Amino acid sequence: MSPGNNDVLENGNGRHLESESLFEADETDLSRLDERPLPIRIERRRSFDERSVGDMSATLSPPRHLESMDSAGRSLTGTPRSSSCVEPHPLVAEAWESLRRSIVYFRGQPVGTIAALDHSTEELNYDQVFVRDFVPSALAFLMNGESEIVKNFILKTLRFQSWEKRVDEFKLAEGVMPASFKVLHDPVRNHETMVADFGESAIGRVAPVDSGFWWIILLRAYTKSTGDMSLAELPECQKGIRLILTLCLSEGFDTFPTLLCADGCCMVDRRMGVYGYPIEIQSLFFMALRCALVLLKHVGENKEILEKIVNRLHALSYHMRNYFWLDMQQLNDIYRYKTEEYSHTAVNKFNVMPDSLPEWVFDFMPNRGGYFIGNVSPAKMDFRWFCLGNCVAILSSLATPEQASAIMDLIESRWQELVGEMPLKVCYPAMESHEWRILTGCDPKNTSWSYHNGGSWPVLLWLLTAACIKTGRPLLAQRAVKLAESRLLKDHWPEYYDGKHGRFVGKQSRKFQTWSISGYLVAKMMLEDPSHLSMISLEEDKQMKLIMKRSASWMC
């Protein structure tokens, strides 16, 4: 293959030629994959998503097809477009038009959506396709019956995973997925190149931990929406899942089943004091593990990784439900903790000092309600509320039904603080004064009540809506959607809002932010047709329903 033709791809460290593989045949025309016959769909009494970890421990027989009907008997193999007789909100048409303008093409095939259509500061990377940013766009397309762009995106990002990844002189692990990629057009040579960023160009030079998890979750959403398991069963996809999870399940010195991560490795992509075991990563990790049980064929070299997944799910669910959970009873227990406890009988296992409890949490915690706190590590508990981690905990069933209900009770009772005038706070409360200087490194973008430091992000609307539907509280979601509709178009779909109640368009917020647009569309479509929730939601695994040894006040 000649380096001068349009089959050359690059990353930031060198040029990469296509190899003889499945991708060699499909790179020129990704749509050929759609010509393959779909597997015969058969009805099952129980979908693969409903198989318990206990079942998996007992037998690892190979699954072949997803259940093609949802619990209400509606087909999931061809997600219908809007069938409602209600006149759609005028904002919906505007949103779809903007979303389609954000589509990125590679050799004539759609492969993703750029982060924002606002290019007012060209040197930043908002003209790239981000893995985490594309997820709500992908869900919107799947809900609208448009799966080609999602399949192309999955294959393209999988191709990047095989590249050699270096930051300075250090080589990243094989399983790392890119944070983003960009299509470069050369009209003179008449070819296109793709450049991927694995963190070597990112602010802070931090590799994304969440990209691999979102990729697995999106692959499961694709199979659930289309009923097509052939993509997930490709040897390359099976290997991609294994590489991601092998990296995360590797044994080391850590005594916790949670995943140790650096600041800046997730949606909170700047220094925000989330170093350690951030709730967002733990929830995504849990959900990706559960999705992998559905997607991995139970044969050959997959068997060992499946056994590790089963074991980790048991340990992770126990750890999170016990030690990350906070409600009024648990807050009282921590308030009365003794310190310097030794032995297996210790109650204060992480040696948390009661004097470290922040004053705001006593007023914030309602009598009914609770949430998963931001972080738990030796002598430190981050009591901040983080939206994404708590919503994903509900969707993945990391939260028990009782805990999920308690999280929604908290959101409802603290609506003004967490939702305000523009949904939705990424975290609460904001860091201020000395704390802000120390933990953010005086980051001017993360001043109090801005960006990731207590800013309001419209993209989180889809996660709140999904959590509301799953817990049987769609009216809460409708209330939030109406708030968003009152301002989003007028404000040109900003990236985030500033202020304690989200009243001001973010000082450095980009306009026509794609995931603000797609997040709104996904929320609207899920409210119109709640069966769409099955793409992004997993039911509780009865085998992992452990006896809670700490607070049970949410059952009151």
Side-chain angles (χ1 to χ4, degrees), residues 407-418:
I407 293 170
M408 300 313 299
D409 285 342
L410 177 83
I411 293 174
E412 189 169 9
S413 62
R414 295 293 177 257
W415 185 267
Q416 192 62 24
E417 292 93 332
L418 302 179

Side-chain angles (χ1 to χ4, degrees), residues 18 44 73 145 238 240 242 293 323 369 387 428 433 450 455 461 473:
E18 299 286 352
R44 298 171 61 91
Q238 294 285 298
R242 282 199 310 273
L293 287 181
Y323 304 123
C387 178
Y428 180 88
S433 306
S450 181
L461 188 63
R473 307 196 191 190

Side-chain angles (χ1 to χ4, degrees), residues 338-392:
K338 295 179 181 179
T339 59
E340 300 296 325
E341 291 185 297
Y342 179 78
S343 86
H344 296 289
T345 61
V347 175
N348 186 2
K349 294 185 178 182
F350 302 100
N351 199 37
V352 174
M353 307 297 166
D355 288 345
S356 69
L357 284 164
E359 292 184 6
W360 64 264
V361 75
F362 294 98
D363 293 328
F364 180 70
M365 180 60 68
N367 290 326
R368 291 181 57 86
Y371 65 102
F372 290 102
I373 63 175
N375 218 320
V376 175
S377 56
K380 180 176 174 57
M381 299 180 80
D382 182 350
F383 291 93
R384 284 177 295 174
W385 147 272
F386 287 88
C387 178
L388 193 152
N390 275 273
C391 287
V392 173

Side-chain angles (χ1 to χ4, degrees), residues 19-43:
S19 60
E20 292 295 330
S21 68
L22 166 73
F23 293 95
E24 175 67 22
D26 294 336
E27 285 289 335
T28 303
D29 185 3
L30 292 170
S31 64
R32 291 180 188 175
L33 285 172
D34 293 325
E35 297 173 5
R36 300 177 183 178
L38 296 179
I40 299 173
R41 302 187 186 101
I42 58 174
E43 292 188 18

Side-chain angles (χ1 to χ4, degrees), residues 253-391:
F253 286 95
D254 209 330
T255 59
F256 309 146
T258 41
L259 196 61
L260 181 63
C261 301
D263 262 321
C265 68
C266 53
M267 178 187 175
V268 181
D269 59 6
R270 292 200 180 196
R271 183 177 170 187
M272 268 284 290
V274 300
Y275 179 89
Y277 308 91
I279 180 62
E280 176 178 334
I281 290 297
Q282 311 316 317
S283 293
L284 288 172
F285 182 30
F286 183 87
M287 190 166 194
L289 289 173
R290 291 203 62 197
C291 289
L293 287 181
V294 181
L295 299 171
L296 284 173
K297 298 166 67 175
H298 303 157
V299 294
E301 55 188 324
N302 286 354
K303 289 184 177 181
E304 182 180 355
I305 193 75
L306 284 165
E307 291 175 0
K308 289 184 177 180
I309 290 171
V310 170
N311 293 334
R312 191 61 162 263
L313 281 170
H314 277 297
L316 185 59
S317 61
Y318 177 87
H319 185 91
M320 297 298 297
R321 292 171 181 178
N322 280 277
Y323 304 123
F324 272 68
W325 181 255
L326 187 72
D327 58 12
M328 184 60 81
Q329 180 59 52
Q330 176 68 352
L331 186 58
N332 268 284
D333 291 345
I334 297 172
Y335 182 70
R336 293 170 52 83
Y337 266 169
K338 295 179 181 179
T339 59
E340 300 296 325
E341 291 185 297
Y342 179 78
S343 86
H344 296 289
T345 61
V347 175
N348 186 2
K349 294 185 178 182
F350 302 100
N351 199 37
V352 174
M353 307 297 166
D355 288 345
S356 69
L357 284 164
E359 292 184 6
W360 64 264
V361 75
F362 294 98
D363 293 328
F364 180 70
M365 180 60 68
N367 290 326
R368 291 181 57 86
Y371 65 102
F372 290 102
I373 63 175
N375 218 320
V376 175
S377 56
K380 180 176 174 57
M381 299 180 80
D382 182 350
F383 291 93
R384 284 177 295 174
W385 147 272
F386 287 88
C387 178
L388 193 152
N390 275 273
C391 287

